[in-house]
Amino acid sequence: MVSAVCTDGAPVMLGKNSGFGVLVKADAPHIIVTHCILHRHALATKTLPPKMAEVLKTVVECVNYVRNSALRHRIFSELCKEMGSEFEVLLYHSNVQWLSRGQVLNRVLAMRVELALFLQDHQHCHADCFKNPEFILILAYMADIFAALNHLNQQMQGGGVNIIEAEEHLKAFQKKLMLWKRRTENNNFTNFPLLDNCVSKIEDVSGIGDIPVSTELKQTIATHLDELAKSLDRYFPTRESYPAWVRQPFTFAVETADVNDEYLDEIIEIQQSQVQQQLFRTTTLSTFWCRQMDKYPIIAKKALYVSIPFVTTYLCEQSFSTMLDIKTKKRNRLFCENDMRVALAKVKPFISELVSQRQQQKSH
């Protein structure tokens, strides 16, 4: 009954000799084993040039300095209130939480004036960093690029995303990186709004006003975009393209296909059906092909084989979060299998009927 397995990429799961994937395929060769696309995406984005890595390290140290002490945290919040800041709290960075880097950098950039004053009052070693124009520009660029990476990450999340859609998002992002690199080299920072704002009308702590982007910094940004594109290529190698009719069965040109292709007869039939066209527009790709299994079994089976592999470990993460919700510290001995089934099932249970049946059983 199992057709696909998605893992987090740990050696014990994807090891070549005794990994879980190898052992599964030894018993059932038809099973497709995939590495979670979100885990790969998180690994691919860890590449940073030395200057940017140093800025990220400094920002994390400054945030931890404020957040690690309840007293300092309260004093900083009061300072933000007095200055009329949009935010009053800095966010923690965690390597486990993939989206946290972009959120932390964005918040620090928005609160850079308040943070600089606070660090200066406490004579912190990084207090002068926020007076450095280059530091501010790198911080703004990193907030922008991680916001873009977070947006890509969110596009690939959820239970309804199939592997074709996820790879389309990735390919589009990889092509955009090269475009952004060329624009940056031409002093066009349209794709990095926070950086563009700093370049044109920043009111930074140093009081300098407009900050120009040096040639060296532009080269650093271009290098990072280039390395990021290469890293994504390494983690997401180009593979054989999917049949065009799987993604767009009604716009597929039958005349361009091989006449000996066994799928063509059913494709022609399905293209002439107005009912199927309406169904295609109103359902997901996987649901559409599932509903064709009875009428068009040949193409439906092929299409589902292409689109059925799990894209992410989303279902596992969702189950784990549900378990943490149910099995709290005060209910740590609870056997929560049935509760989890109710919480995770897409079918809504008739609780009142189940309770009445249970009461009847007890009475008998």
Side-chain angles (χ1 to χ4, degrees):
M1 295 296 290
V2 179
S3 58
V5 174
C6 186
T7 81
D8 61 0
V12 72
M13 301 299 286
L14 290 180
K16 290 182 179 179
N17 299 319
S18 58
F20 175 75
V22 173
L23 298 177
V24 167
K25 288 184 80 66
D27 281 346
H30 71 279
I31 288 180
I32 303 167
V33 179
T34 55
H35 181 184
C36 174
I37 209 164
L38 295 180
H39 281 84
R40 283 186 283 164
H41 176 261
L43 292 169
T45 58
K46 287 188 175 181
T47 173
L48 282 174
K51 270 190 179 181
M52 292 183 186
E54 188 60 36
V55 169
L56 180 61
K57 182 184 174 186
T58 301
V59 167
V60 172
E61 286 177 4
C62 291
V63 171
N64 289 346
Y65 176 75
V66 176
R67 291 297 305 262
N68 285 348
S69 163
L71 176 62
R72 286 196 294 265
H73 183 49
R74 284 198 302 273
I75 294 172
F76 181 71
S77 295
E78 287 300 319
L79 173 66
C80 293
K81 283 181 186 177
E82 289 173 12
M83 295 183 68
S85 174
E86 183 184 355
F87 305 104
E88 295 175 9
V89 177
L90 292 169
L91 302 177
Y92 265 126
H93 166 58
S94 168
N95 282 325
V96 178
Q97 296 174 343
W98 303 327
L99 306 182
S100 67
R101 269 186 294 183
Q103 293 164 344
V104 169
L105 292 167
N106 205 311
R107 181 64 62 88
V108 168
L109 184 67
M111 303 177 73
R112 63 185 182 278
V113 177
E114 296 85 349
L115 184 57
L117 288 173
F118 180 84
L119 294 174
Q120 193 172 351
D121 288 344
H122 286 75
Q123 298 181 345
H124 192 269
C125 60
H126 294 315
D128 292 335
C129 289
F130 291 90
K131 295 181 181 179
N132 182 351
E134 188 181 64
F135 182 91
I136 297 294
L137 289 176
I138 293 175
L139 177 60
Y141 163 74
M142 289 176 66
D144 279 324
I145 194 66
F146 281 118
L149 288 166
N150 286 356
H151 178 65
L152 173 64
N153 191 295
Q154 288 167 342
Q155 284 180 313
M156 298 185 293
Q157 288 184 27
V161 180
N162 62 57
I163 199 164
I164 301 175
E165 292 170 351
E167 291 194 359
E168 284 173 352
H169 288 309
L170 275 165
K171 285 176 184 175
F173 187 79
Q174 286 172 279
K175 288 186 177 180
K176 281 193 279 187
L177 286 176
M178 294 298 99
L179 174 64
W180 296 353
K181 178 186 173 184
R182 293 198 300 272
R183 283 178 177 168
T184 301
E185 290 168 345
N186 291 331
N187 289 320
N188 181 350
F189 305 107
T190 309
N191 301 108
F192 308 112
L194 295 173
L195 176 61
D196 196 38
N197 187 52
C198 287
V199 171
S200 59
K201 53 182 179 183
I202 189 170
E203 296 175 3
D204 82 303
V205 182
S206 62
I208 292 174
D210 292 358
I211 301 179
V213 180
S214 64
T215 306
E216 185 182 356
L217 182 54
K218 280 192 289 185
Q219 184 58 46
T220 302
I221 293 172
T223 302
H224 177 240
L225 292 172
D226 205 31
E227 288 178 358
L228 185 57
K230 288 177 182 176
S231 183
L232 287 169
D233 275 334
R234 187 166 65 253
Y235 280 98
F236 302 99
T238 304
R239 36 187 252 170
E240 187 181 348
S241 58
Y242 302 109
W245 57 264
V246 174
R247 190 75 175 92
Q248 294 293 342
F250 296 99
T251 57
F252 175 70
V254 177
E255 299 78 13
T256 61
D258 182 2
V259 292
N260 296 319
D261 196 328
E262 61 177 330
Y263 310 114
L264 288 184
D265 297 273
E266 290 191 355
I267 292 172
I268 292 171
E269 281 186 44
I270 208 170
Q271 283 182 347
Q272 304 308 311
S273 172
Q274 295 294 325
V275 174
Q276 300 301 343
Q277 287 187 37
Q278 181 62 28
L279 179 64
F280 183 77
R281 286 194 292 267
T282 55
T283 60
T284 64
L285 190 66
S286 300
T287 304
F288 171 78
W289 285 117
C290 281
R291 293 189 182 180
Q292 309 308 318
M293 279 300 290
D294 292 334
K295 204 168 183 181
Y296 308 106
I298 297 176
I299 57 171
K301 190 174 181 181
K302 173 65 177 177
L304 288 172
Y305 180 80
V306 168
S307 62
I308 208 169
F310 294 107
V311 186
T312 68
T313 54
Y314 171 79
L315 294 176
C316 295
E317 306 290 349
Q318 187 185 35
S319 303
F320 187 68
S321 297
T322 303
M323 187 193 73
L324 290 178
D325 240 4
I326 297 170
K327 202 166 183 175
T328 60
K329 195 174 183 180
K330 292 182 180 179
R331 297 190 294 185
N332 61 350
R333 296 178 68 184
L334 176 70
F335 183 72
C336 62
E337 181 182 347
N338 294 330
D339 301 82
M340 284 182 65
R341 286 186 66 188
V342 173
L344 293 167
K346 293 182 181 179
V347 179
K348 191 175 180 180
F350 294 104
I351 299 294
S352 56
E353 189 176 331
L354 292 171
V355 171
S356 64
Q357 285 178 4
R358 187 69 182 267
Q359 288 173 342
Q360 287 173 7
Q361 288 172 1
K362 284 185 177 179
S363 63
H364 290 311

